[in-house]
PDB file of all heavy atoms in Angstrom:
ATOM      1  N   VAL D1117     -12.841  18.836 -63.172  1.00 97.00           N
ATOM      2  CA  VAL D1117     -12.452  18.908 -64.579  1.00 97.00           C
ATOM      3  C   VAL D1117     -10.955  18.648 -64.728  1.00 97.00           C
ATOM      4  O   VAL D1117     -10.523  17.894 -65.601  1.00 97.00           O
ATOM      5  CB  VAL D1117     -12.839  20.275 -65.187  1.00 97.00           C
ATOM      6  CG1 VAL D1117     -12.205  20.482 -66.547  1.00 97.00           C
ATOM      7  CG2 VAL D1117     -14.350  20.403 -65.286  1.00 97.00           C
ATOM      8  N   SER D1118     -10.148  19.249 -63.859  1.00 97.00           N
ATOM      9  CA  SER D1118      -8.689  19.052 -63.917  1.00 97.00           C
ATOM     10  C   SER D1118      -8.327  17.595 -63.667  1.00 97.00           C
ATOM     11  O   SER D1118      -7.482  17.030 -64.371  1.00 97.00           O
ATOM     12  CB  SER D1118      -7.966  19.898 -62.875  1.00 97.00           C
ATOM     13  OG  SER D1118      -8.469  21.159 -62.784  1.00 97.00           O
ATOM     14  N   THR D1119      -8.934  16.992 -62.684  1.00 92.00           N
ATOM     15  CA  THR D1119      -8.651  15.595 -62.375  1.00 92.00           C
ATOM     16  C   THR D1119      -9.078  14.693 -63.529  1.00 92.00           C
ATOM     17  O   THR D1119      -8.356  13.751 -63.885  1.00 92.00           O
ATOM     18  CB  THR D1119      -9.375  15.185 -61.081  1.00 92.00           C
ATOM     19  OG1 THR D1119      -8.973  16.060 -60.030  1.00 92.00           O
ATOM     20  CG2 THR D1119      -9.047  13.753 -60.689  1.00 92.00           C
ATOM     21  N   GLY D1120     -10.212  14.976 -64.135  1.00 94.00           N
ATOM     22  CA  GLY D1120     -10.676  14.195 -65.275  1.00 94.00           C
ATOM     23  C   GLY D1120      -9.729  14.303 -66.457  1.00 94.00           C
ATOM     24  O   GLY D1120      -9.412  13.300 -67.111  1.00 94.00           O
ATOM     25  N   MET D1121      -9.242  15.516 -66.730  1.00 96.00           N
ATOM     26  CA  MET D1121      -8.299  15.697 -67.838  1.00 96.00           C
ATOM     27  C   MET D1121      -6.981  14.973 -67.559  1.00 96.00           C
ATOM     28  O   MET D1121      -6.398  14.363 -68.461  1.00 96.00           O
ATOM     29  CB  MET D1121      -8.047  17.186 -68.085  1.00 96.00           C
ATOM     30  CG  MET D1121      -9.239  17.882 -68.680  1.00 96.00           C
ATOM     31  SD  MET D1121      -9.045  19.618 -69.183  1.00 96.00           S
ATOM     32  CE  MET D1121      -7.772  20.274 -68.201  1.00 96.00           C
ATOM     33  N   MET D1122      -6.541  15.024 -66.312  1.00 92.00           N
ATOM     34  CA  MET D1122      -5.311  14.324 -65.963  1.00 92.00           C
ATOM     35  C   MET D1122      -5.491  12.813 -66.110  1.00 92.00           C
ATOM     36  O   MET D1122      -4.598  12.117 -66.592  1.00 92.00           O
ATOM     37  CB  MET D1122      -4.891  14.666 -64.524  1.00 92.00           C
ATOM     38  CG  MET D1122      -3.574  14.030 -64.120  1.00 92.00           C
ATOM     39  SD  MET D1122      -3.054  14.449 -62.460  1.00 92.00           S
ATOM     40  CE  MET D1122      -4.262  13.613 -61.472  1.00 92.00           C
ATOM     41  N   ASP D1123      -6.650  12.309 -65.727  1.00 89.00           N
ATOM     42  CA  ASP D1123      -6.929  10.878 -65.844  1.00 89.00           C
ATOM     43  C   ASP D1123      -6.922  10.431 -67.306  1.00 89.00           C
ATOM     44  O   ASP D1123      -6.354   9.394 -67.638  1.00 89.00           O
ATOM     45  CB  ASP D1123      -8.278  10.558 -65.193  1.00 89.00           C
ATOM     46  CG  ASP D1123      -8.505   9.077 -65.029  1.00 89.00           C
ATOM     47  OD1 ASP D1123      -7.543   8.359 -64.713  1.00 89.00           O
ATOM     48  OD2 ASP D1123      -9.652   8.634 -65.229  1.00 89.00           O
ATOM     49  N   VAL D1124      -7.518  11.232 -68.173  1.00 93.00           N
ATOM     50  CA  VAL D1124      -7.532  10.907 -69.604  1.00 93.00           C
ATOM     51  C   VAL D1124      -6.102  10.906 -70.149  1.00 93.00           C
ATOM     52  O   VAL D1124      -5.713  10.017 -70.914  1.00 93.00           O
ATOM     53  CB  VAL D1124      -8.427  11.894 -70.381  1.00 93.00           C
ATOM     54  CG1 VAL D1124      -8.236  11.758 -71.881  1.00 93.00           C
ATOM     55  CG2 VAL D1124      -9.894  11.686 -70.007  1.00 93.00           C
ATOM     56  N   ALA D1125      -5.304  11.887 -69.749  1.00 93.00           N
ATOM     57  CA  ALA D1125      -3.917  11.969 -70.221  1.00 93.00           C
ATOM     58  C   ALA D1125      -3.103  10.760 -69.742  1.00 93.00           C
ATOM     59  O   ALA D1125      -2.311  10.192 -70.509  1.00 93.00           O
ATOM     60  CB  ALA D1125      -3.281  13.261 -69.743  1.00 93.00           C
ATOM     61  N   MET D1126      -3.305  10.359 -68.495  1.00 88.00           N
ATOM     62  CA  MET D1126      -2.569   9.195 -67.978  1.00 88.00           C
ATOM     63  C   MET D1126      -2.995   7.922 -68.698  1.00 88.00           C
ATOM     64  O   MET D1126      -2.146   7.077 -69.020  1.00 88.00           O
ATOM     65  CB  MET D1126      -2.798   9.044 -66.467  1.00 88.00           C
ATOM     66  CG  MET D1126      -2.093  10.081 -65.640  1.00 88.00           C
ATOM     67  SD  MET D1126      -2.145   9.772 -63.867  1.00 88.00           S
ATOM     68  CE  MET D1126      -3.877   9.840 -63.522  1.00 88.00           C
ATOM     69  N   ASN D1127      -4.285   7.767 -68.966  1.00 90.00           N
ATOM     70  CA  ASN D1127      -4.754   6.585 -69.685  1.00 90.00           C
ATOM     71  C   ASN D1127      -4.216   6.563 -71.115  1.00 90.00           C
ATOM     72  O   ASN D1127      -3.849   5.494 -71.624  1.00 90.00           O
ATOM     73  CB  ASN D1127      -6.280   6.517 -69.689  1.00 90.00           C
ATOM     74  CG  ASN D1127      -6.831   6.075 -68.356  1.00 90.00           C
ATOM     75  OD1 ASN D1127      -6.143   5.444 -67.566  1.00 90.00           O
ATOM     76  ND2 ASN D1127      -8.077   6.419 -68.080  1.00 90.00           N
ATOM     77  N   ALA D1128      -4.153   7.724 -71.756  1.00 93.00           N
ATOM     78  CA  ALA D1128      -3.601   7.781 -73.114  1.00 93.00           C
ATOM     79  C   ALA D1128      -2.132   7.374 -73.108  1.00 93.00           C
ATOM     80  O   ALA D1128      -1.670   6.652 -74.001  1.00 93.00           O
ATOM     81  CB  ALA D1128      -3.762   9.185 -73.690  1.00 93.00           C
ATOM     82  N   GLN D1129      -1.396   7.820 -72.108  1.00 91.00           N
ATOM     83  CA  GLN D1129       0.017   7.442 -71.992  1.00 91.00           C
ATOM     84  C   GLN D1129       0.144   5.937 -71.768  1.00 91.00           C
ATOM     85  O   GLN D1129       1.001   5.284 -72.357  1.00 91.00           O
ATOM     86  CB  GLN D1129       0.672   8.206 -70.839  1.00 91.00           C
ATOM     87  CG  GLN D1129       2.145   7.971 -70.710  1.00 91.00           C
ATOM     88  CD  GLN D1129       2.940   8.582 -71.850  1.00 91.00           C
ATOM     89  OE1 GLN D1129       2.573   9.592 -72.405  1.00 91.00           O
ATOM     90  NE2 GLN D1129       4.029   7.941 -72.200  1.00 91.00           N
ATOM     91  N   ALA D1130      -0.710   5.380 -70.929  1.00 90.00           N
ATOM     92  CA  ALA D1130      -0.670   3.940 -70.665  1.00 90.00           C
ATOM     93  C   ALA D1130      -0.992   3.138 -71.928  1.00 90.00           C
ATOM     94  O   ALA D1130      -0.386   2.097 -72.173  1.00 90.00           O
ATOM     95  CB  ALA D1130      -1.651   3.582 -69.552  1.00 90.00           C
ATOM     96  N   VAL D1131      -1.915   3.635 -72.744  1.00 93.00           N
ATOM     97  CA  VAL D1131      -2.245   2.953 -73.998  1.00 93.00           C
ATOM     98  C   VAL D1131      -1.031   2.951 -74.924  1.00 93.00           C
ATOM     99  O   VAL D1131      -0.716   1.939 -75.564  1.00 93.00           O
ATOM    100  CB  VAL D1131      -3.464   3.617 -74.686  1.00 93.00           C
ATOM    101  CG1 VAL D1131      -3.613   3.154 -76.118  1.00 93.00           C
ATOM    102  CG2 VAL D1131      -4.726   3.315 -73.897  1.00 93.00           C
ATOM    103  N   MET D1132      -0.314   4.063 -74.984  1.00 94.00           N
ATOM    104  CA  MET D1132       0.885   4.126 -75.824  1.00 94.00           C
ATOM    105  C   MET D1132       1.949   3.144 -75.344  1.00 94.00           C
ATOM    106  O   MET D1132       2.599   2.460 -76.149  1.00 94.00           O
ATOM    107  CB  MET D1132       1.437   5.550 -75.857  1.00 94.00           C
ATOM    108  CG  MET D1132       0.568   6.502 -76.645  1.00 94.00           C
ATOM    109  SD  MET D1132       1.015   8.252 -76.593  1.00 94.00           S
ATOM    110  CE  MET D1132       2.752   8.286 -76.461  1.00 94.00           C
ATOM    111  N   VAL D1133       2.119   3.041 -74.030  1.00 92.00           N
ATOM    112  CA  VAL D1133       3.091   2.088 -73.482  1.00 92.00           C
ATOM    113  C   VAL D1133       2.646   0.659 -73.784  1.00 92.00           C
ATOM    114  O   VAL D1133       3.458  -0.191 -74.153  1.00 92.00           O
ATOM    115  CB  VAL D1133       3.275   2.314 -71.962  1.00 92.00           C
ATOM    116  CG1 VAL D1133       4.121   1.220 -71.343  1.00 92.00           C
ATOM    117  CG2 VAL D1133       3.899   3.681 -71.705  1.00 92.00           C
ATOM    118  N   GLU D1134       1.342   0.391 -73.626  1.00 93.00           N
ATOM    119  CA  GLU D1134       0.809  -0.940 -73.952  1.00 93.00           C
ATOM    120  C   GLU D1134       1.085  -1.318 -75.401  1.00 93.00           C
ATOM    121  O   GLU D1134       1.463  -2.455 -75.696  1.00 93.00           O
ATOM    122  CB  GLU D1134      -0.707  -0.982 -73.728  1.00 93.00           C
ATOM    123  CG  GLU D1134      -1.126  -1.385 -72.360  1.00 93.00           C
ATOM    124  CD  GLU D1134      -2.623  -1.580 -72.266  1.00 93.00           C
ATOM    125  OE1 GLU D1134      -3.387  -1.014 -73.074  1.00 93.00           O
ATOM    126  OE2 GLU D1134      -3.039  -2.322 -71.367  1.00 93.00           O
ATOM    127  N   GLN D1135       0.892  -0.378 -76.296  1.00 95.00           N
ATOM    128  CA  GLN D1135       1.117  -0.655 -77.713  1.00 95.00           C
ATOM    129  C   GLN D1135       2.583  -0.978 -77.989  1.00 95.00           C
ATOM    130  O   GLN D1135       2.892  -1.835 -78.811  1.00 95.00           O
ATOM    131  CB  GLN D1135       0.658   0.531 -78.564  1.00 95.00           C
ATOM    132  CG  GLN D1135      -0.840   0.672 -78.622  1.00 95.00           C
ATOM    133  CD  GLN D1135      -1.283   1.938 -79.329  1.00 95.00           C
ATOM    134  OE1 GLN D1135      -0.486   2.834 -79.596  1.00 95.00           O
ATOM    135  NE2 GLN D1135      -2.575   2.015 -79.623  1.00 95.00           N
ATOM    136  N   GLN D1136       3.488  -0.295 -77.291  1.00 95.00           N
ATOM    137  CA  GLN D1136       4.911  -0.560 -77.500  1.00 95.00           C
ATOM    138  C   GLN D1136       5.323  -1.907 -76.906  1.00 95.00           C
ATOM    139  O   GLN D1136       6.133  -2.620 -77.479  1.00 95.00           O
ATOM    140  CB  GLN D1136       5.757   0.553 -76.898  1.00 95.00           C
ATOM    141  CG  GLN D1136       5.664   1.847 -77.678  1.00 95.00           C
ATOM    142  CD  GLN D1136       6.501   2.955 -77.064  1.00 95.00           C
ATOM    143  OE1 GLN D1136       7.067   2.798 -75.991  1.00 95.00           O
ATOM    144  NE2 GLN D1136       6.566   4.087 -77.747  1.00 95.00           N
ATOM    145  N   LEU D1137       4.753  -2.247 -75.750  1.00 93.00           N
ATOM    146  CA  LEU D1137       5.097  -3.518 -75.104  1.00 93.00           C
ATOM    147  C   LEU D1137       4.347  -4.702 -75.707  1.00 93.00           C
ATOM    148  O   LEU D1137       4.745  -5.848 -75.498  1.00 93.00           O
ATOM    149  CB  LEU D1137       4.808  -3.440 -73.599  1.00 93.00           C
ATOM    150  CG  LEU D1137       5.686  -2.515 -72.777  1.00 93.00           C
ATOM    151  CD1 LEU D1137       5.221  -2.502 -71.326  1.00 93.00           C
ATOM    152  CD2 LEU D1137       7.143  -2.935 -72.862  1.00 93.00           C
ATOM    153  N   LYS D1138       3.242  -4.411 -76.377  1.00 93.00           N
ATOM    154  CA  LYS D1138       2.399  -5.447 -76.989  1.00 93.00           C
ATOM    155  C   LYS D1138       1.863  -6.458 -75.970  1.00 93.00           C
ATOM    156  O   LYS D1138       1.797  -7.648 -76.231  1.00 93.00           O
ATOM    157  CB  LYS D1138       3.157  -6.165 -78.105  1.00 93.00           C
ATOM    158  CG  LYS D1138       3.504  -5.248 -79.245  1.00 93.00           C
ATOM    159  CD  LYS D1138       4.157  -5.989 -80.373  1.00 93.00           C
ATOM    160  CE  LYS D1138       4.251  -5.090 -81.550  1.00 93.00           C
ATOM    161  NZ  LYS D1138       5.454  -4.537 -81.926  1.00 93.00           N
ATOM    162  N   LYS D1139       1.524  -5.934 -74.781  1.00 92.00           N
ATOM    163  CA  LYS D1139       0.848  -6.750 -73.782  1.00 92.00           C
ATOM    164  C   LYS D1139       0.019  -5.831 -72.888  1.00 92.00           C
ATOM    165  O   LYS D1139       0.347  -4.653 -72.723  1.00 92.00           O
ATOM    166  CB  LYS D1139       1.831  -7.578 -72.953  1.00 92.00           C
ATOM    167  CG  LYS D1139       2.783  -6.798 -72.095  1.00 92.00           C
ATOM    168  CD  LYS D1139       3.688  -7.743 -71.322  1.00 92.00           C
ATOM    169  CE  LYS D1139       4.546  -6.972 -70.335  1.00 92.00           C
ATOM    170  NZ  LYS D1139       5.316  -7.851 -69.493  1.00 92.00           N
ATOM    171  N   PRO D1140      -1.066  -6.355 -72.315  1.00 90.00           N
ATOM    172  CA  PRO D1140      -1.946  -5.501 -71.505  1.00 90.00           C
ATOM    173  C   PRO D1140      -1.335  -5.184 -70.130  1.00 90.00           C
ATOM    174  O   PRO D1140      -0.975  -6.079 -69.378  1.00 90.00           O
ATOM    175  CB  PRO D1140      -3.214  -6.343 -71.353  1.00 90.00           C
ATOM    176  CG  PRO D1140      -2.765  -7.749 -71.535  1.00 90.00           C
ATOM    177  CD  PRO D1140      -1.583  -7.704 -72.468  1.00 90.00           C
ATOM    178  N   ILE D1141      -1.207  -3.904 -69.849  1.00 89.00           N
ATOM    179  CA  ILE D1141      -0.674  -3.480 -68.550  1.00 89.00           C
ATOM    180  C   ILE D1141      -1.514  -2.368 -67.921  1.00 89.00           C
ATOM    181  O   ILE D1141      -1.139  -1.826 -66.886  1.00 89.00           O
ATOM    182  CB  ILE D1141       0.792  -3.015 -68.666  1.00 89.00           C
ATOM    183  CG1 ILE D1141       0.913  -1.872 -69.657  1.00 89.00           C
ATOM    184  CG2 ILE D1141       1.704  -4.158 -69.034  1.00 89.00           C
ATOM    185  CD1 ILE D1141       2.258  -1.199 -69.641  1.00 89.00           C
ATOM    186  N   MET D1142      -2.653  -2.048 -68.547  1.00 89.00           N
ATOM    187  CA  MET D1142      -3.495  -0.952 -68.043  1.00 89.00           C
ATOM    188  C   MET D1142      -3.953  -1.216 -66.611  1.00 89.00           C
ATOM    189  O   MET D1142      -3.989  -0.297 -65.795  1.00 89.00           O
ATOM    190  CB  MET D1142      -4.706  -0.763 -68.948  1.00 89.00           C
ATOM    191  CG  MET D1142      -5.600   0.392 -68.559  1.00 89.00           C
ATOM    192  SD  MET D1142      -4.907   2.002 -68.876  1.00 89.00           S
ATOM    193  CE  MET D1142      -5.177   2.135 -70.618  1.00 89.00           C
ATOM    194  N   THR D1143      -4.290  -2.447 -66.284  1.00 89.00           N
ATOM    195  CA  THR D1143      -4.737  -2.742 -64.920  1.00 89.00           C
ATOM    196  C   THR D1143      -3.629  -2.480 -63.909  1.00 89.00           C
ATOM    197  O   THR D1143      -3.906  -2.044 -62.788  1.00 89.00           O
ATOM    198  CB  THR D1143      -5.207  -4.204 -64.799  1.00 89.00           C
ATOM    199  OG1 THR D1143      -4.184  -5.065 -65.270  1.00 89.00           O
ATOM    200  CG2 THR D1143      -6.469  -4.444 -65.602  1.00 89.00           C
ATOM    201  N   SER D1144      -2.394  -2.711 -64.300  1.00 88.00           N
ATOM    202  CA  SER D1144      -1.268  -2.420 -63.403  1.00 88.00           C
ATOM    203  C   SER D1144      -1.154  -0.920 -63.146  1.00 88.00           C
ATOM    204  O   SER D1144      -0.885  -0.488 -62.022  1.00 88.00           O
ATOM    205  CB  SER D1144       0.044  -2.922 -63.999  1.00 88.00           C
ATOM    206  OG  SER D1144      -0.001  -4.306 -64.197  1.00 88.00           O
ATOM    207  N   PHE D1145      -1.354  -0.111 -64.197  1.00 86.00           N
ATOM    208  CA  PHE D1145      -1.323   1.337 -64.030  1.00 86.00           C
ATOM    209  C   PHE D1145      -2.406   1.793 -63.053  1.00 86.00           C
ATOM    210  O   PHE D1145      -2.155   2.606 -62.160  1.00 86.00           O
ATOM    211  CB  PHE D1145      -1.506   2.050 -65.376  1.00 86.00           C
ATOM    212  CG  PHE D1145      -0.254   2.169 -66.176  1.00 86.00           C
ATOM    213  CD1 PHE D1145      -0.032   1.351 -67.260  1.00 86.00           C
ATOM    214  CD2 PHE D1145       0.697   3.111 -65.854  1.00 86.00           C
ATOM    215  CE1 PHE D1145       1.114   1.460 -68.012  1.00 86.00           C
ATOM    216  CE2 PHE D1145       1.856   3.236 -66.593  1.00 86.00           C
ATOM    217  CZ  PHE D1145       2.073   2.415 -67.674  1.00 86.00           C
ATOM    218  N   HIS D1146      -3.615   1.257 -63.225  1.00 87.00           N
ATOM    219  CA  HIS D1146      -4.711   1.646 -62.344  1.00 87.00           C
ATOM    220  C   HIS D1146      -4.463   1.181 -60.911  1.00 87.00           C
ATOM    221  O   HIS D1146      -4.752   1.913 -59.952  1.00 87.00           O
ATOM    222  CB  HIS D1146      -6.040   1.092 -62.866  1.00 87.00           C
ATOM    223  CG  HIS D1146      -6.552   1.841 -64.047  1.00 87.00           C
ATOM    224  ND1 HIS D1146      -7.372   1.270 -64.976  1.00 87.00           N
ATOM    225  CD2 HIS D1146      -6.354   3.102 -64.469  1.00 87.00           C
ATOM    226  CE1 HIS D1146      -7.667   2.155 -65.915  1.00 87.00           C
ATOM    227  NE2 HIS D1146      -7.041   3.280 -65.623  1.00 87.00           N
ATOM    228  N   ALA D1147      -3.916  -0.008 -60.751  1.00 91.00           N
ATOM    229  CA  ALA D1147      -3.637  -0.518 -59.405  1.00 91.00           C
ATOM    230  C   ALA D1147      -2.582   0.337 -58.716  1.00 91.00           C
ATOM    231  O   ALA D1147      -2.740   0.699 -57.543  1.00 91.00           O
ATOM    232  CB  ALA D1147      -3.173  -1.972 -59.475  1.00 91.00           C
ATOM    233  N   LEU D1148      -1.521   0.667 -59.423  1.00 91.00           N
ATOM    234  CA  LEU D1148      -0.457   1.481 -58.820  1.00 91.00           C
ATOM    235  C   LEU D1148      -0.947   2.894 -58.509  1.00 91.00           C
ATOM    236  O   LEU D1148      -0.546   3.484 -57.505  1.00 91.00           O
ATOM    237  CB  LEU D1148       0.771   1.515 -59.720  1.00 91.00           C
ATOM    238  CG  LEU D1148       1.537   0.202 -59.803  1.00 91.00           C
ATOM    239  CD1 LEU D1148       2.654   0.295 -60.827  1.00 91.00           C
ATOM    240  CD2 LEU D1148       2.091  -0.176 -58.445  1.00 91.00           C
ATOM    241  N   PHE D1149      -1.820   3.439 -59.358  1.00 87.00           N
ATOM    242  CA  PHE D1149      -2.400   4.749 -59.080  1.00 87.00           C
ATOM    243  C   PHE D1149      -3.214   4.699 -57.791  1.00 87.00           C
ATOM    244  O   PHE D1149      -3.104   5.590 -56.939  1.00 87.00           O
ATOM    245  CB  PHE D1149      -3.284   5.194 -60.253  1.00 87.00           C
ATOM    246  CG  PHE D1149      -3.884   6.554 -60.074  1.00 87.00           C
ATOM    247  CD1 PHE D1149      -3.127   7.690 -60.284  1.00 87.00           C
ATOM    248  CD2 PHE D1149      -5.205   6.687 -59.698  1.00 87.00           C
ATOM    249  CE1 PHE D1149      -3.683   8.950 -60.111  1.00 87.00           C
ATOM    250  CE2 PHE D1149      -5.777   7.934 -59.525  1.00 87.00           C
ATOM    251  CZ  PHE D1149      -5.007   9.077 -59.739  1.00 87.00           C
ATOM    252  N   SER D1150      -3.997   3.638 -57.620  1.00 92.00           N
ATOM    253  CA  SER D1150      -4.803   3.492 -56.409  1.00 92.00           C
ATOM    254  C   SER D1150      -3.932   3.321 -55.173  1.00 92.00           C
ATOM    255  O   SER D1150      -4.205   3.919 -54.120  1.00 92.00           O
ATOM    256  CB  SER D1150      -5.744   2.295 -56.535  1.00 92.00           C
ATOM    257  OG  SER D1150      -6.650   2.495 -57.587  1.00 92.00           O
ATOM    258  N   VAL D1151      -2.868   2.533 -55.292  1.00 96.00           N
ATOM    259  CA  VAL D1151      -1.944   2.356 -54.166  1.00 96.00           C
ATOM    260  C   VAL D1151      -1.297   3.694 -53.815  1.00 96.00           C
ATOM    261  O   VAL D1151      -1.181   4.053 -52.636  1.00 96.00           O
ATOM    262  CB  VAL D1151      -0.876   1.289 -54.498  1.00 96.00           C
ATOM    263  CG1 VAL D1151       0.246   1.291 -53.473  1.00 96.00           C
ATOM    264  CG2 VAL D1151      -1.517  -0.085 -54.586  1.00 96.00           C
ATOM    265  N   GLY D1152      -0.894   4.448 -54.827  1.00 94.00           N
ATOM    266  CA  GLY D1152      -0.300   5.765 -54.585  1.00 94.00           C
ATOM    267  C   GLY D1152      -1.262   6.710 -53.884  1.00 94.00           C
ATOM    268  O   GLY D1152      -0.869   7.455 -52.980  1.00 94.00           O
ATOM    269  N   MET D1153      -2.531   6.684 -54.302  1.00 93.00           N
ATOM    270  CA  MET D1153      -3.531   7.542 -53.657  1.00 93.00           C
ATOM    271  C   MET D1153      -3.745   7.142 -52.196  1.00 93.00           C
ATOM    272  O   MET D1153      -3.863   7.994 -51.321  1.00 93.00           O
ATOM    273  CB  MET D1153      -4.853   7.475 -54.413  1.00 93.00           C
ATOM    274  CG  MET D1153      -4.804   8.107 -55.788  1.00 93.00           C
ATOM    275  SD  MET D1153      -4.564   9.874 -55.745  1.00 93.00           S
ATOM    276  CE  MET D1153      -6.203  10.405 -55.330  1.00 93.00           C
ATOM    277  N   MET D1154      -3.781   5.833 -51.936  1.00 97.00           N
ATOM    278  CA  MET D1154      -3.959   5.371 -50.556  1.00 97.00           C
ATOM    279  C   MET D1154      -2.761   5.754 -49.689  1.00 97.00           C
ATOM    280  O   MET D1154      -2.925   6.207 -48.550  1.00 97.00           O
ATOM    281  CB  MET D1154      -4.188   3.860 -50.519  1.00 97.00           C
ATOM    282  CG  MET D1154      -5.550   3.451 -51.000  1.00 97.00           C
ATOM    283  SD  MET D1154      -5.918   1.698 -50.738  1.00 97.00           S
ATOM    284  CE  MET D1154      -4.679   0.902 -51.730  1.00 97.00           C
ATOM    285  N   LEU D1155      -1.563   5.572 -50.224  1.00 97.00           N
ATOM    286  CA  LEU D1155      -0.361   5.953 -49.466  1.00 97.00           C
ATOM    287  C   LEU D1155      -0.317   7.458 -49.221  1.00 97.00           C
ATOM    288  O   LEU D1155       0.078   7.904 -48.142  1.00 97.00           O
ATOM    289  CB  LEU D1155       0.896   5.487 -50.180  1.00 97.00           C
ATOM    290  CG  LEU D1155       1.159   3.990 -50.162  1.00 97.00           C
ATOM    291  CD1 LEU D1155       2.375   3.655 -51.035  1.00 97.00           C
ATOM    292  CD2 LEU D1155       1.369   3.493 -48.745  1.00 97.00           C
ATOM    293  N   GLY D1156      -0.717   8.224 -50.219  1.00 95.00           N
ATOM    294  CA  GLY D1156      -0.764   9.674 -50.050  1.00 95.00           C
ATOM    295  C   GLY D1156      -1.758  10.092 -48.972  1.00 95.00           C
ATOM    296  O   GLY D1156      -1.479  10.964 -48.151  1.00 95.00           O
ATOM    297  N   ALA D1157      -2.924   9.459 -48.969  1.00 96.00           N
ATOM    298  CA  ALA D1157      -3.936   9.763 -47.951  1.00 96.00           C
ATOM    299  C   ALA D1157      -3.444   9.348 -46.568  1.00 96.00           C
ATOM    300  O   ALA D1157      -3.641  10.069 -45.579  1.00 96.00           O
ATOM    301  CB  ALA D1157      -5.240   9.054 -48.282  1.00 96.00           C
ATOM    302  N   LEU D1158      -2.791   8.193 -46.495  1.00 97.00           N
ATOM    303  CA  LEU D1158      -2.250   7.726 -45.215  1.00 97.00           C
ATOM    304  C   LEU D1158      -1.190   8.683 -44.693  1.00 97.00           C
ATOM    305  O   LEU D1158      -1.211   9.070 -43.516  1.00 97.00           O
ATOM    306  CB  LEU D1158      -1.673   6.324 -45.375  1.00 97.00           C
ATOM    307  CG  LEU D1158      -1.044   5.710 -44.128  1.00 97.00           C
ATOM    308  CD1 LEU D1158      -2.110   5.470 -43.065  1.00 97.00           C
ATOM    309  CD2 LEU D1158      -0.335   4.418 -44.476  1.00 97.00           C
ATOM    310  N   CYS D1159      -0.274   9.096 -45.564  1.00 96.00           N
ATOM    311  CA  CYS D1159       0.775  10.034 -45.147  1.00 96.00           C
ATOM    312  C   CYS D1159       0.177  11.374 -44.738  1.00 96.00           C
ATOM    313  O   CYS D1159       0.593  11.970 -43.744  1.00 96.00           O
ATOM    314  CB  CYS D1159       1.784  10.242 -46.272  1.00 96.00           C
ATOM    315  SG  CYS D1159       2.861   8.839 -46.552  1.00 96.00           S
ATOM    316  N   GLY D1160      -0.812  11.841 -45.504  1.00 93.00           N
ATOM    317  CA  GLY D1160      -1.461  13.107 -45.158  1.00 93.00           C
ATOM    318  C   GLY D1160      -2.130  13.058 -43.792  1.00 93.00           C
ATOM    319  O   GLY D1160      -2.002  13.984 -42.994  1.00 93.00           O
TER     320      GLY D1160
END
């Protein structure tokens, strides 16, 4: 539940940034999140 709520909050923030930039960047947010998770798992 906590992870799901955090994911919704991050997506909402990304939508706000997209609206300000007026270009699609949501895929970049998801890609960087995945890279961060992989690096975190590797370091762990």
